[in-house]
Amino acid sequence: AIQMTQSPSSLSASVGDRVTITCRTSQGIRNDLAWYQQKPGKAPKLLIYAASSLQSGVPSRFSGSGSGTDFTLTISGLQPEDFATYYCLQDYNYPRTFGQGTKVEI
Amino acid sequence: QVQVVQSGAEVKKPGASVRVSCKASGYTFTNYYIYWVRQAPGQGLEWVGVINPTSGSTVYAQKFQGRVTVTRDTSTSTVYMQLSSLRSEDTAVYYCARDFGEGLDVWGQGTTVTVSS
């Protein structure tokens, strides 16, 4: 199974900050990676798919980049509603594997 | 509107089985795979398995092999996940989600399964 290493596990930030979360995979996965946001008590929400494509309805301050084994989620201009936990998920092969999550806190 | 709606919370004893349903509406059921993902209290997301609603073929995480069965009923656009031989570590919120091919774009509200004696 492909191992996912997501970092950091948590970070503190302020409104307006630029935040970067990384996900590294144990083998190359082309661009078959998605990013999800989860708020407490809620289902995850798709933000980015195919490493860099913005899901419909997601604000443009979210962006993704990378291919192969190294991927990045960037939030440019953090908003109060962005405080949440973020996960990467590889959809290159089965079994699908998630990153460990990054909690973005004030 | 496009949605998947899950069945309600379950409380089970160790060794029992649980079946969670996921009813799709607002789209052509057979056009999208359905995933199952779980989240133990305070923990991250864990992939359980997937079903192709057209063929009924499934793939499961090795961790659940032999204990999980995912099926579908095309007449009601419903997917079922059954987990047997429950243990306390299976206490979690179980989500179903639609895969549009490059991501999970529609999620159920989650079903809490509690395993306790």
Side-chain angles (χ1 to χ4, degrees):
Chain A
I2 296 174
Q3 307 302 313
M4 311 289 284
T5 303
Q6 186 175 339
S7 61
S9 56
S10 65
L11 64 91
S12 295
S14 301
V15 172
D17 283 354
R18 179 185 176 94
V19 167
T20 298
I21 298 168
T22 64
C23 191
R24 177 165 291 172
T25 59
S26 59
Q27 68 181 74
I29 62 168
R30 303 178 306 199
N31 69 337
D32 295 335
L33 185 117
W35 291 95
Y36 297 84
Q37 175 194 66
Q38 187 181 33
K39 297 182 179 179
K42 299 295 186 181
K45 172 187 174 183
L46 177 65
L47 300 176
I48 301 286
Y49 63 92
S52 59
S53 296
L54 191 67
Q55 173 68 354
S56 175
V58 174
S60 58
R61 61 181 180 272
F62 291 93
S63 64
S65 64
S67 68
T69 60
D70 292 289
F71 301 88
T72 300
L73 172 70
T74 300
I75 311 172
S76 301
L78 200 65
Q79 296 300 299
E81 60 269 29
D82 301 336
F83 292 95
T85 301
Y86 295 84
Y87 296 91
C88 56
L89 170 65
Q90 65 83 13
D91 54 10
Y92 177 76
N93 67 7
Y94 294 119
R96 299 289 196 249
T97 41
F98 285 95
Q100 300 88 339
T102 296
K103 187 173 185 179
V104 177
E105 302 174 291
I106 300 173
Chain B
Q1 71 279 28
V2 175
Q3 59 180 358
V4 290
V5 178
Q6 299 180 224
S7 50
E10 302 268 8
V11 179
K12 296 292 183 180
K13 293 194 183 301
S17 296
V18 68
R19 191 176 82 155
V20 180
S21 68
C22 173
K23 183 173 176 59
S25 62
Y27 70 94
T28 301
F29 176 66
T30 50
N31 282 358
Y32 300 85
Y33 287 22
I34 292 288
Y35 281 57
W36 288 91
V37 173
R38 79 176 188 181
Q39 186 169 40
Q43 302 301 307
L45 301 172
E46 180 175 31
W47 184 76
V48 176
V50 60
I51 187 166
N52 175 339
T54 300
S55 66
S57 63
T58 54
V59 181
Y60 304 128
Q62 185 163 7
K63 176 177 181 177
F64 303 102
Q65 289 276 2
R67 286 206 304 140
V68 70
T69 304
V70 177
T71 57
R72 94 295 190 210
D73 181 343
T74 55
S75 68
T76 60
S77 300
T78 302
V79 173
Y80 300 92
M81 184 210 63
Q82 179 164 313
L83 188 62
S84 62
S85 302
L86 289 169
R87 34 209 189 227
S88 59
E89 309 89 89
D90 294 317
T91 294
V93 177
Y94 289 76
Y95 294 101
C96 64
R98 183 183 86 160
D99 177 17
F100 74 94
E102 294 186 283
L104 307 179
D105 64 338
V106 180
W107 290 70
Q109 78 277 22
T111 297
T112 300
V113 174
T114 303
V115 182
S116 174
S117 54

